[in-house]
Amino acid sequence: MPRPFRPRDVKADPRRDVDAELTYHLDMRAAEFEAQGLAPDDARRAAASSFGDVHAVEAECVDIRTERERVRRWRTWKWNAAMDARYAFRTLRRAPLFTTAAVLTLALGIGGAAAVFTLVDGVLLRPLPYAAPSRLVMVWTSGEGLYGPVSQWPLSAPNYFDIKAQNRTLASVAAFRSWPYTLVGDASTPPEMLAGSRVDPALFRTLGVRPIIGRDFTDDDARMGAGRVVVLGYELWRRRFGGDPRVVGRMVALGAESYQVVGVMPEGFAFPRGAELPAGLGFRPRTELWTPLVFSEQDLASRGTQNLAAVARIKPGVTIDASNADMARVGRWLKEQYPRYFPKMGLGAISLTDQAATTVRRGLLLLMGAVGFVLLIACANVANLLVARAARRAREFATRAALGATRGRVFLQLVVENAVLALAGGALGLATAAWGARAVLAHLPTELPRADDVAVDWRVVLMTFAAALLAGVAFAGATALHAGRGALAAGVGGTRATGGRRQQAGRRLLVAAEVALSLVLLVGAGLLTRSFARLQRIEPGFDARGVMSGGLLAPLGARFDPASDGPRWTALFTRYVARLAAQPGIVAAGGVSGLPLTGAEEFTGLVVDGKVAAPGEQSPSAAYNVIVGDYFGAMRIPLLAGRAFGAQDVAGAPKALIVSAAFVRRHFPKSPLPAALGHRIGLGFGGPEPHTIVGVVGDVRQSALDVEPTPTIYLAQAQFPYPFLSFVARTRSGGAAAALPRMRQALADVDPTVALHDERPLERVVAASIARQRFALTVTGAFAAVALVLSAVGLYAVIATSVTQRTRELGVRLALGATPGDVRALVVREGMRVTVAGVVVGLLGAAAAARLIKGQLYEVSVGDPMVYAGVALLVAAVALAATWVPARRATRVDPVLAIRAD
């Protein structure tokens, strides 16, 4: 029986072809020698000898043929790809509705994924903009402190110098601390408060960053009595000094002192950035200028004053784990030397990369997971569209197969066609990502760590188009799988392609997966919505309506010295609050060192009625705030017992304090609130004289709405001078905005060389305190809504296609006596079976996935039955609506026309 012809029989084989050609030439030459009278064997040997080294000739010919074949194949591939691309453009242009729907769906999914990946890349993946960032670490105090477990507590100056002297793994280490400045301009330029930092001269060298103009600090700049110098940030230099390179050497007024500009840092450098460090250190989002950190003798003797952060560069070849172990060793040494200050504390190191990303890593990864669900749903939708289109193109595929096209050739054509579609969606998605990333950055609840590093770069572009190409290949595979050879043959015969059970099951499975994924997102959004609603009902302990706030920094000298500068600070704040309270329309005004709901909390150890904690016991503690003016009246914080501060609470008078109700419950648990009056409280600062409780006020939520009120004490500014206060002013009418001009005018009347900053209505402060929850809810809800719409569209497309393919069957049913209601119920049941399967799987997936957002929920269980039931009913209702339209169309089938058309 003859062997059938196969395509591989004509496939080029250079070695086979060269071997056949050489054999032919040897046979011809041997024949010539035989004709001359040589025996056949001698003739073969003579022929081979005349050719020389046959193997070398064969190898050279094979190389030539191989290269020629490679070039030919490359040209053929390019020609085929160009032809397929042109054909793809023509076919997609002939189906504008399909093309538009597929491209927009892909752009939505790929664009959302690329936007979130842009954030993840900038915050988690991209190296920090410093030299060898993998060798940079932050050094912190950690362990069991006065206020519970801590992992990132500041250092004191003596501990910092001990770390420098005792460590074995750090090549350099530099301390720094927040230090705001007021830049005083000329008469035409108003004063401006700037975010500054006092830094060890080694900071810039540790980070490996040099000024673009001038120089950085030297060790001499940090000595007591040295001239005051400052290094400017690039943005400040451009904004306030016009980018003048001659600014180096110029004198600038920062508060009450003059500083000489010695350098300008590169564009984008703003270390330390507040979002990357613990909030309690008080760093602003971007540091704008730097001055040398000068230590006085008092600083070097204050081991209990922990107010420094420190960054270090580990030595080459040392791992971060080894550096962390070394810091633990130094911590044990400090504990042995100074047990009073290190009873349960130690030291630790964390990489600067982890320091910057730890607070947002989980949230970004959850966001990436949510948008990944949307991308999967979008891809499933497009795959369903392509499979439905492939069913309509069965005759085309069958004709190609009949004309000799192999499965591989048809698959290649589908890959090119779907790649064109996917790349179009990817290109539009990339534009969406650029817009989406900016929109997300603009609406983030707080400054995102490393926000300056977020940008659409080559990594984002590569990821976007790689995802698009991968989607194109997957779509081609799904289409080729649907267009089986049996269906193709049927197409040639002219029979209607109705789609096999297996193909229909595959499409329904995709839709069920879409429903399940959208339900997972909807449950997450529902849980966050319930939690957010509960948060909004929490009373913060004050009335924010009609109150404007603004921060004010008193002019500081070269060093922090409350003893000498305190009276000047108190005079400024007292005159300002009195002037503000006298302004027209202002009902009450006051100031506080820590504005509620901003997370600004400071703590102190306590001695209650002279009772010192026994050895091994935890010392009592409380948060403290310094206030001036009628702060309680302006905030409408109720006075529950005793009195507020008055004119008698001045420097030199008996020290008084006011406590919160939570303080009374903590330290006098069995006493009524008025019973706390008269008790004497010793503080961890302020000298040996204790303070007497003169009043009790209501609790205020200081950190966040979902954090219980902290036991708090209030001190009078006159008795405990503080250089920075947030002032609040309550208006009689006109809303909070009406108070802002009054606040500015009162300050200009008192001291025109200082400026308010962070001016915002108190209601905005309250809103900002739950902005993280609002952002999570908004993003999750948006993704869930998009996923639900895409799932509904996918379900509609599957049922509508099924109705179209079953036109003859439905016509027969109607002809045999089925009522329109029967046909409608048949179609609806088909859609609802798919929906129920998706809902069941989705509920199980949601129950598992909800645990990931447990930390973001307030008084809401991850298994809240109301949310699960509500979401299931919502999905079922949307699915019913999506199924009802094709079900109604099915009842309008004309039985005679349906049977005759087939």
Side-chain angles (χ1 to χ4, degrees):
M1 181 176 180
R3 184 174 63 85
F5 175 79
R6 295 182 177 87
R8 66 172 178 267
D9 294 333
V10 296
K11 185 177 181 180
D13 186 344
R15 185 169 295 280
R16 181 193 63 192
D17 295 342
V18 169
D19 184 67
E21 186 172 350
L22 285 176
T23 300
Y24 170 76
H25 284 291
L26 285 171
D27 290 344
M28 293 297 294
R29 182 61 60 89
E32 292 177 4
F33 283 122
E34 284 185 28
Q36 295 174 11
L38 292 178
D41 291 342
D42 294 337
R44 296 292 296 178
R45 283 191 294 272
S49 178
S50 66
F51 266 82
D53 189 346
V54 177
H55 295 295
V57 172
E58 181 181 14
E60 183 177 356
C61 291
V62 168
D63 290 341
I64 294 172
R65 288 289 184 92
T66 301
E67 178 62 21
R68 187 182 301 165
E69 180 63 20
R70 188 190 65 79
V71 173
R72 186 192 67 79
R73 288 182 179 178
W74 170 244
R75 290 176 178 173
T76 302
W77 185 89
K78 287 196 302 182
W79 186 85
N80 286 339
M83 291 293 292
D84 289 343
R86 285 195 291 270
Y87 180 75
F89 281 115
R90 286 200 305 271
T91 56
L92 293 175
R93 191 167 58 246
R94 287 199 297 265
L97 291 179
F98 162 79
T99 303
T100 302
V103 168
L104 289 179
T105 301
L106 280 175
L108 186 64
I110 294 176
V116 175
F117 179 78
T118 301
L119 300 179
V120 173
D121 174 59
V123 177
L124 303 181
L125 304 180
R126 188 177 303 181
L128 288 165
Y130 314 122
S134 61
R135 292 172 49 206
L136 292 174
V137 298
M138 293 291 299
V139 179
W140 299 105
T141 303
S142 61
E144 188 71 25
L146 281 174
Y147 325 114
V150 294
S151 59
Q152 295 184 5
W153 198 255
L155 307 173
S156 66
N159 292 343
Y160 165 62
F161 282 100
D162 284 337
I163 291 171
K164 293 181 70 173
Q166 297 295 327
N167 86 86
R168 301 168 183 170
T169 58
L170 305 180
S172 63
V173 59
F176 54 92
R177 63 172 301 186
S178 173
W179 199 273
Y181 289 96
T182 300
L183 178 61
V184 182
D186 53 26
S188 62
T189 306
E192 177 184 2
M193 185 171 173
L194 302 175
S197 292
R198 290 193 168 181
V199 303
D200 189 295
L203 176 73
F204 302 123
R205 295 188 291 275
T206 298
L207 297 175
V209 182
R210 296 179 177 274
I212 57 172
I213 300 175
R215 64 173 179 85
D216 59 10
F217 299 132
T218 66
D219 291 339
D220 290 337
D221 292 327
R223 300 185 189 281
M224 292 292 295
R228 301 184 184 92
V229 294
V230 61
V231 171
L232 305 178
Y234 183 89
E235 286 72 20
L236 175 63
W237 172 58
R238 298 283 296 180
R239 175 167 51 86
R240 289 297 298 260
F241 301 95
D244 186 0
R246 295 172 296 180
V247 72
V248 174
R250 183 184 303 180
M251 302 300 294
V252 296
L254 299 177
E257 308 289 346
S258 293
Y259 288 74
Q260 183 183 32
V261 178
V262 296
V264 176
M265 297 305 294
E267 183 177 6
F269 181 82
F271 185 91
R273 299 183 285 199
E276 300 168 9
L277 297 168
L281 294 177
F283 288 101
R284 307 290 294 170
R286 294 175 55 84
T287 298
E288 298 175 281
L289 57 82
W290 299 263
T291 57
L293 179 59
V294 181
F295 294 102
S296 66
E297 293 183 1
Q298 181 181 353
D299 294 329
L300 297 176
S302 302
R303 194 169 292 273
T305 303
Q306 296 170 296
N307 54 14
L308 299 177
V311 63
R313 180 175 293 275
I314 61 179
K315 296 178 180 178
V318 176
T319 65
I320 293 178
D321 288 341
S323 177
N324 195 28
D326 185 41
M327 289 300 100
R329 178 191 59 81
V330 177
R332 289 191 295 271
W333 179 86
L334 287 171
K335 187 181 300 185
E336 294 173 359
Q337 299 294 318
Y338 310 101
R340 175 185 173 190
Y341 298 100
F342 275 79
K344 299 180 181 179
M345 301 294 286
L347 297 174
I350 180 175
S351 74
L352 192 58
T353 301
D354 288 342
Q355 177 73 54
T358 296
T359 57
V360 295
R361 177 179 283 110
R362 182 180 179 85
L364 285 178
L365 293 179
L366 287 174
L367 188 61
M368 196 73 185
V371 78
F373 279 12
V374 175
L375 178 58
L376 288 175
I377 294 172
C379 288
N381 245 1
V382 175
N384 261 330
L385 290 174
L386 289 168
V387 169
R389 187 166 180 261
R392 295 192 294 272
R393 297 174 64 189
R395 185 180 298 276
E396 172 196 338
F397 295 139
T399 303
R400 288 177 176 273
L403 294 176
T406 63
R407 284 182 178 272
R409 184 67 189 86
V410 173
F411 180 72
L412 180 60
Q413 185 243 314
L414 290 174
V415 166
V416 173
E417 184 175 321
N418 288 291
V420 169
L421 189 69
L423 287 175
L428 186 58
L430 190 63
T432 305
W435 172 84
R438 287 195 296 269
V440 171
L441 283 174
H443 293 87
L444 281 173
T446 55
E447 287 291 332
L448 181 73
R450 302 189 60 187
D452 297 338
D453 303 332
V454 175
V456 177
D457 62 358
W458 66 268
R459 280 182 290 262
V460 177
V461 175
L462 181 63
M463 190 281 299
T464 301
F465 285 108
L469 287 174
L470 181 62
V473 173
F475 295 155
T479 307
L481 185 65
H482 177 82
R485 186 167 292 277
L488 301 182
V492 174
T495 309
R496 177 183 295 274
T498 59
R501 291 180 179 273
R502 197 164 47 182
Q503 295 163 349
Q504 287 291 334
R507 298 185 60 200
R508 291 173 183 140
L509 181 62
L510 284 176
V511 174
E514 292 181 44
V515 172
L517 292 174
S518 64
L519 189 139
V520 171
L521 291 178
L522 285 168
V523 167
L527 292 173
L528 291 173
T529 300
R530 293 262 294 171
S531 174
F532 189 74
R534 290 180 180 274
L535 276 176
Q536 288 185 308
R537 292 197 291 267
I538 296 175
E539 288 294 333
F542 56 89
D543 182 5
R545 294 169 296 180
V547 179
M548 176 62 71
S549 67
L552 180 59
L553 172 70
L556 298 176
R559 54 186 298 270
F560 184 76
D561 190 357
S564 61
D565 296 335
R568 182 162 48 88
W569 304 340
T570 299
L572 170 64
F573 293 151
T574 302
R575 285 187 290 117
Y576 174 59
V577 76
R579 185 77 175 183
L580 177 58
Q583 293 288 315
I586 301 299
V587 176
V592 64
S593 58
L595 197 63
L597 295 180
T598 61
E601 282 188 295
E602 296 182 89
F603 291 84
T604 179
L606 304 175
V607 176
V608 179
D609 291 330
K611 299 177 181 178
V612 180
E617 291 184 359
Q618 188 70 47
S619 300
S621 64
Y624 72 90
N625 269 320
V626 179
I627 64 173
V628 69
D630 187 14
Y631 171 71
F632 298 128
M635 297 287 286
R636 290 183 178 169
I637 299 173
L639 182 65
L640 304 177
R643 64 174 178 86
F645 292 130
Q648 68 272 34
D649 300 308
V650 295
K655 294 183 177 181
L657 59 80
I658 298 171
V659 300
S660 67
F663 182 95
V664 177
R665 291 193 298 270
R666 169 73 62 84
H667 299 287
F668 311 105
K670 298 181 180 180
S671 303
L673 296 180
L677 302 177
H679 283 277
R680 298 170 67 79
I681 308 297
L683 307 181
F685 49 73
E689 181 184 353
H691 293 62
T692 302
I693 299 177
V694 298
V696 180
V697 295
D699 292 327
V700 173
R701 295 181 184 257
Q702 190 72 21
S703 297
L705 282 176
D706 56 354
V707 177
E708 290 299 317
T710 306
T712 304
I713 62 175
Y714 296 90
L715 305 167
Q717 168 72 24
Q719 295 185 336
F720 186 81
Y722 202 87
F724 172 78
L725 297 182
S726 291
F727 283 85
V728 292
R730 178 173 294 278
T731 59
R732 181 172 290 105
S733 61
L740 185 56
R742 309 295 186 188
M743 296 177 72
R744 291 173 177 172
Q745 182 60 51
L747 184 59
D749 293 342
V750 171
D751 189 343
T753 66
V754 294
L756 288 173
H757 72 98
D758 285 345
E759 302 158 323
R760 49 183 175 166
L762 200 58
E763 287 179 304
R764 191 183 301 172
V765 175
V766 176
S769 70
I770 54 174
R772 176 178 59 84
Q773 292 87 342
R774 182 185 291 108
F775 178 77
L777 171 61
T778 301
V779 173
T780 306
F783 285 152
V786 170
L788 182 62
V789 171
L790 289 176
S791 300
V793 171
L795 180 62
Y796 168 82
V798 167
I799 301 303
T801 302
S802 175
V803 168
T804 301
Q805 293 176 341
R806 299 172 64 188
T807 300
R808 185 174 183 275
E809 173 199 339
L810 298 176
V812 171
R813 288 178 180 271
L814 290 170
L816 294 177
T819 66
D822 295 333
V823 173
R824 186 184 303 114
L826 176 68
V827 176
V828 170
R829 278 199 302 271
E830 180 183 357
M832 295 312 293
R833 278 198 297 267
V834 175
T835 302
V836 169
V839 167
V840 171
V841 175
L843 288 175
L844 294 175
R851 301 177 186 277
L852 299 175
I853 62 171
K854 184 177 181 180
Q856 301 182 40
L857 302 179
Y858 178 74
E859 293 186 353
V860 174
S861 168
V862 294
D864 191 324
M866 291 186 60
V867 172
Y868 284 78
V871 168
L873 290 175
L874 173 63
V875 172
V878 172
L880 180 62
T883 307
W884 188 258
V885 177
R888 287 190 59 190
R889 192 177 67 187
T891 63
R892 299 172 184 172
V893 172
D894 188 326
V896 176
L897 294 178
I899 297 173
R900 183 181 299 168
D902 215 47

